Amino acid sequence: YEHKLRVLEVFHILCKDSSMLVEIFINYDCDLEAIDLYRRIVDGFAKIAKNPYVNQNRGGMDFMSAGKKNIYEESQVRFMGLEGLVIILNSLIVSGGFDSFKQLQESLDNNDQTNKNSFADIEEENFDN
């Protein structure tokens, strides 16, 4: 359990560096002969966060669980997997030139409004003809 947490902490630290994530993607995932390292990192966090081994019919216990301590440890590991995905998303926002999710949302809203205005102009031109 402790080992899993330490490994996840290391990946959290690595994923907080947005430029490193971009470099991993460019140098590994975009190279057809290399392994898809970025995808594997994201898939690893997703698998940990989903944890398909939890059996909901037995109150969250599976054949590996032996009590409340294991349930707590399992939820802690799952949380760190989800946290890793959030860290990756935040790094993508930063690497896109945005300071925060709020700034990204504002930019998307502005682009959406611009697109709506452009479509309205096109419809007016088509309607006038």
Side-chain angles (χ1 to χ4, degrees):
Y1 164 73
E2 291 294 324
H3 179 71
K4 289 178 185 179
L5 292 182
R6 298 300 161 246
V7 169
L8 287 169
E9 286 175 6
V10 168
F11 273 99
H12 285 182
I13 292 168
L14 293 174
C15 291
K16 285 180 183 177
D17 183 355
S18 60
S19 62
M20 189 199 70
L21 282 179
V22 170
E23 291 297 322
I24 287 175
F25 181 77
I26 290 170
N27 291 318
Y28 290 94
D29 292 56
C30 291
D31 184 354
L32 298 176
E33 296 180 14
I35 61 170
D36 294 337
L37 187 57
Y38 181 82
R39 182 184 57 82
R40 287 184 180 194
I41 292 171
V42 172
D43 286 348
F45 278 135
K47 283 181 183 178
I48 291 167
K50 287 194 310 187
N51 194 5
Y53 301 110
V54 175
N55 187 343
Q56 298 297 335
N57 296 334
R58 295 191 293 167
M61 303 268 297
D62 64 3
F63 71 94
M64 297 286 286
S65 298
K68 290 183 181 180
K69 182 178 179 185
N70 284 344
I71 292 172
Y72 170 76
E73 290 174 355
E74 184 177 288
S75 66
Q76 183 88 16
V77 171
R78 289 178 72 181
F79 178 78
M80 288 191 72
L82 184 59
E83 189 175 31
L85 291 171
V86 171
I87 289 170
I88 289 174
L89 288 174
N90 284 331
S91 291
L92 289 174
I93 290 169
V94 170
S95 67
F98 301 99
D99 294 328
S100 67
F101 181 75
K102 183 177 179 181
Q103 186 182 10
L104 173 64
Q105 189 64 41
E106 290 171 357
S107 175
L108 292 174
D109 290 343
N110 290 339
N111 286 341
D112 190 39
Q113 188 60 39
T114 302
N115 289 339
K116 285 180 184 177
N117 292 340
S118 297
F119 288 131
D121 292 343
I122 292 170
E123 287 178 358
E124 280 183 27
E125 288 175 13
N126 289 337
F127 185 72
D128 291 339
N129 291 333

